[in-house]
Amino acid sequence: NLSFNADSSLSPNAMEEKLLKAELDCAFSLVPPHSPKLAYERISQRKFLVLSHPGFAGLKWNETAYIQFIPTIEALRPLFWPREMQSQRVCAEADLENALSLCERGRGALYLPESFVRHRLMSQRLIQCPHPPFEHDLSTYLIWRKDLAASTLQSQFIQAILARRDS
């Protein structure tokens, strides 16, 4: 019996400011908060994959140029293109749909979390290449103010999200 408004246009810093001012009840973010006044829990962790056109089935992870996904919020870019990928050649930069379309047309490989492309993998429009020789995950955090009372609807919502993560 909860109703809520979602705003996906906020940067991580803007979310944190709104949480501290009690203008948001909770937030989902790809980065943990800086403020010690905020509590947070990791609620998901997604593995990154190297993806390519099915015609390049024998491709090694470092034998191609990459189409680099550019997230809407610039501050999140290093999460999708970590330091370990800096030496890879980039042939194009695009938003998610255009990057996927370019990859499906064989223009280059993509480095994205599996959850972003699961349906395209299942339909065999893209294939997974060998994993890079380094570890890299994309985590999502649930963030809220520590001083929320245990009896509030916000707290019940947060507890329900955390319970789903554990199940």
Side-chain angles (χ1 to χ4, degrees):
N1 294 326
L2 288 177
S3 65
F4 58 91
N5 296 319
D7 184 350
S8 60
S9 68
L10 297 174
S11 70
N13 288 340
M15 271 192 286
E16 193 166 329
E17 286 177 28
K18 286 187 172 283
L19 284 164
L20 290 169
K21 292 178 186 174
E23 294 172 4
L24 287 178
D25 294 319
C26 64
F28 297 95
S29 178
L30 300 178
V31 293
H34 293 97
S35 173
K37 295 180 180 179
L38 297 174
Y40 68 96
E41 288 282 340
R42 183 189 339 227
I43 57 171
S44 75
Q45 191 169 12
R46 292 159 280 176
K47 290 277 182 206
F48 274 75
L49 306 176
V50 174
L51 306 150
S52 71
H53 182 274
F56 301 125
L59 196 68
K60 293 193 170 90
W61 82 273
N62 59 350
E63 287 182 342
T64 185
Y66 280 83
I67 301 149
Q68 188 176 353
F69 163 57
I70 304 301
T72 308
I73 298 170
E74 181 67 25
L76 300 179
R77 190 167 180 167
L79 296 176
F80 290 92
W81 197 251
R83 182 177 34 83
E84 293 87 351
M85 292 293 291
Q86 297 300 318
S87 62
Q88 300 308 309
R89 193 162 62 88
V90 174
C91 63
E93 296 185 352
D95 60 74
L96 185 59
E97 284 308 311
N98 286 321
L100 287 165
S101 178
L102 288 167
C103 190
E104 287 171 353
R105 294 189 342 240
R107 300 291 191 247
L110 264 172
Y111 184 68
L112 281 175
E114 181 184 19
S115 58
F116 283 42
V117 294
R118 189 172 290 124
H119 64 288
R120 283 178 157 98
L121 286 168
M122 288 170 41
S123 68
Q124 299 179 340
R125 290 161 63 189
L126 293 173
I127 59 163
Q128 179 181 339
C129 298
H131 285 289
F134 56 85
E135 290 295 320
H136 180 217
D137 298 314
L138 184 69
S139 295
T140 300
Y141 299 91
L142 175 64
I143 306 171
W144 68 94
R145 280 180 43 165
K146 287 181 175 181
D147 59 351
L148 277 179
S151 62
T152 65
L153 284 175
Q154 296 94 327
S155 182
Q156 291 172 32
F157 175 74
I158 290 164
Q159 294 308 315
I161 296 292
L162 296 176
R164 288 187 71 171
R165 174 209 55 191
D166 296 331
S167 61

